[in-house]
Amino acid sequence: MSLGRNTLLWASRNEWLKNHVPKMKFVQRAVKRFMPGEKVEDVLLASKQLLSRNIPTTLTHLGENITTIGEAEDNTHHYLVLLDKIKAENLDIEISLKLTQVGFDLSFEKTLENLSTIAEKAKLLHNYVFIDIEDSSYVNRTISLYKRIKENFDNIGLCLQAYLYRTMEDIKSMERINPSIRLVKGAYKELPSIAFKRLSDVNSNYMKISQYLLQLIKDKNIRVAFATHDLNIQEQIKIEAERTGLDKKQLEFQMLYGIKSAEQKQLTDNGFKIRTLISYGKQWYPWYVRRLAERPANIGFVLKNLFSK
Ligand SMILES: Cc1cc2nc3c(=O)[nH]c(=O)nc-3n(C[C@H](O)[C@H](O)[C@H](O)COP(=O)(O)OP(=O)(O)OC[C@H]3O[C@@H](n4cnc5c(N)ncnc54)[C@H](O)[C@@H]3O)c2cc1C
């Protein structure tokens, strides 16, 4: 892991920076590249623009590691209202959330209850919920919770990280419940005892897991979203999918708002499924710094905004 990436991942968790950096105007301007706005209206508008280009979206309200049950309930309520707004306009927009937003640092059972309320509403409105995956300290409990909630709801998916050694086994342990998986490389700072450190190793593992998942799509018709901006990996997945006997429409890619937008459009134009994840909300600092860590060259973009109006 590079020094730049390490420093940025440290900064993403630093309380002082978290309280001061978001107030800086030039950083606020830079964030717009990855986030159309802080309000629901901003992301609904951005979603409609993408939908007009044949690109559906997933919305996630930022704000992780809340500390009171009241906040967990407010966040739950926020998603329930969002689901209604999406339905009212009949838009192809799904939602994705972090368990620590709905109480995971406080109570497993309360989190399960909150997430079930959201999943229930989503089911009623024919919508879909993905659970984001957070740092490795949450993975065991997240998988336990996913197994529990999947017993009652089939409109719920889980994100897993290819940089963790354990992920292939985790998927195998879930096979019987027909999981829906969003596969990512992983965005947190993890120790070499549990995670691949070299990008080439992460990429190899991503492909190994993808091959396994492609076969599961074929055999069990499960939903898998390959969430990566790595065009090499996307190409390899397309080739492997064809070899597995899958149709283009069975292949879903997911990417983030503001990254490789032209390539996202190309995927839909070429007959693949693509969905863009858009984040919004006031609590963007840790999420934004993780985006910078993925590509430390993005810092140049932040600095450019220091000198622009
Ligand atoms: C839909 C979606 C959901 C995600 N959910 C989670 C989650 O729940 N938990 C989690 O740990 N991680 C999540 N991530 C983040 C993920 O783990 C990676 O950190 C991120 O996607 C970068 O990895 P990559 O696969 O694009 O490959 P990389 O090898 O990092 O990037 C490939 C290429 O994409 C471009 N690129 C990648 N990131 C950026 C960036 N920030 N800015 C500009 N260009 C960039 C660069 O050109 C780079 O060379 C999610 C990612 C996506 C797309």
Side-chain angles (χ1 to χ4, degrees), residues 133 159 161 182 185-187 228-229 260 291 294-295 298:
I133 190 83
C159 184
Q161 298 148 328
R182 179 215 286 157
K185 289 191 186 175
T228 178
H229 314 94
K260 298 204 188 289
R291 298 291 79 80
E294 282 158 3
R295 195 164 170 264
N298 284 342

Side-chain angles (χ1 to χ4, degrees), residues 189-201:
K189 191 168 184 308
E190 300 293 356
L191 293 170
S193 52
I194 59 163
F196 295 105
K197 292 276 118 184
R198 286 208 318 243
L199 186 58
S200 57
D201 292 334

Side-chain angles (χ1 to χ4, degrees), residues 80 83 87 95 115-129 149-156:
L80 298 178
L83 285 165
K87 183 64 189 175
I95 61 170
L115 189 63
S116 299
T117 308
I118 294 170
E120 178 90 58
K121 174 109 187 181
K123 191 175 173 177
L124 194 74
L125 302 179
H126 306 289
N127 209 322
Y128 210 92
V129 183
I149 198 159
K150 193 72 175 55
E151 285 169 14
N152 298 322
F153 299 99
D154 53 8
N155 60 326
I156 188 148

Side-chain angles (χ1 to χ4, degrees), residues 15-173:
E15 280 302 314
W16 190 89
L17 291 171
K18 192 172 161 181
N19 290 328
H20 290 81
V21 173
K23 294 183 186 131
M24 298 171 180
K25 286 274 179 274
F26 74 100
V27 184
Q28 290 170 7
R29 280 196 295 273
V31 170
K32 289 213 160 74
R33 178 183 167 193
F34 294 119
M35 188 179 88
E38 293 184 354
K39 297 200 249 24
V40 172
E41 291 67 36
D42 301 326
V43 278
L44 287 179
L45 184 63
S47 290
K48 285 181 203 163
Q49 282 160 357
L50 283 166
L51 278 164
S52 72
R53 306 175 77 214
N54 222 4
I55 301 177
T57 62
T58 303
L59 299 185
T60 190
H61 184 227
L62 296 168
E64 49 205 79
N65 299 110
I66 53 94
T67 52
T68 65
I69 291 288
E71 286 172 283
E73 276 165 2
D74 287 349
N75 283 333
T76 304
H77 181 70
H78 180 97
Y79 280 111
L80 298 178
V81 173
L82 176 62
L83 285 165
D84 275 332
K85 287 190 174 161
I86 294 168
K87 183 64 189 175
E89 299 201 55
N90 251 328
L91 301 167
D92 185 354
I93 302 177
E94 297 181 347
I95 61 170
S96 191
L97 55 89
K98 290 189 171 31
L99 293 183
T100 61
Q101 278 186 297
V102 289
F104 218 31
D105 286 327
L106 306 167
S107 155
F108 183 97
E109 290 304 324
K110 186 69 190 163
T111 306
L112 184 61
E113 189 187 314
N114 286 339
L115 189 63
S116 299
T117 308
I118 294 170
E120 178 90 58
K121 174 109 187 181
K123 191 175 173 177
L124 194 74
L125 302 179
H126 306 289
N127 209 322
Y128 210 92
V129 183
F130 263 97
I131 302 173
D132 291 350
I133 190 83
E134 299 176 66
D135 73 58
S136 60
S137 64
Y138 294 104
V139 174
N140 273 338
R141 284 186 296 142
T142 301
I143 290 174
S144 304
L145 188 139
Y146 183 64
K147 285 178 178 165
R148 290 262 303 271
I149 198 159
K150 193 72 175 55
E151 285 169 14
N152 298 322
F153 299 99
D154 53 8
N155 60 326
I156 188 148
L158 172 67
C159 184
L160 290 174
Q161 298 148 328
Y163 66 14
L164 293 183
Y165 303 142
R166 57 179 288 173
T167 295
M168 180 69 111
E169 290 313 309
D170 286 335
I171 292 171
K172 288 183 180 167
S173 82

